[in-house]
Amino acid sequence: MFGLSGFKEVDPGYVAEIAAQGAHLIDVRTEAEVAQGVIDGAIHIPLHLLPLRAADVPQDKPVVIYCRSGARSAQACAFLASQGYGNMHNLAGGIMAWARSGNTLCRPR
């Protein structure tokens, strides 16, 4: 269920499941962080550019936003929800939780 913030906190297992079904992944980390590895298929939109690039966020499927630990991505989800975007998901624990769960990282494109 989506909370009062307008987005849902999700774990890596759920992200893997909905990503396999075509959910959109958005990485809001810095360029330096992205260079260390990404979740396959993610779109990179640095958090500070999100207000300028909100139109680049697809709305036709669920969207999972992640950062390093889950804090910046929660801000991104809250911002997009406040702009009327629905079906936003925050990867709780960020990419660190993703990697700790045994999921792979890819080189950025």
Side-chain angles (χ1 to χ4, degrees), residues 38-83:
V38 299
I39 298 174
D40 192 29
I43 300 166
H44 181 225
I45 303 176
L47 181 62
H48 71 282
L49 295 178
L50 191 59
L52 300 173
R53 293 191 49 201
D56 294 343
V57 177
Q59 296 187 58
D60 59 333
K61 295 180 183 169
V63 174
V64 177
I65 302 180
Y66 71 90
C67 63
R68 184 172 185 270
S69 67
R72 286 174 286 172
S73 51
Q75 292 175 353
C77 284
F79 169 74
L80 290 169
S82 77
Q83 301 300 304

Side-chain angles (χ1 to χ4, degrees), residues 6-18:
F7 64 92
K8 185 176 181 180
E9 293 280 338
V10 294
D11 63 31
Y14 183 79
V15 171
E17 188 178 305
I18 66 171

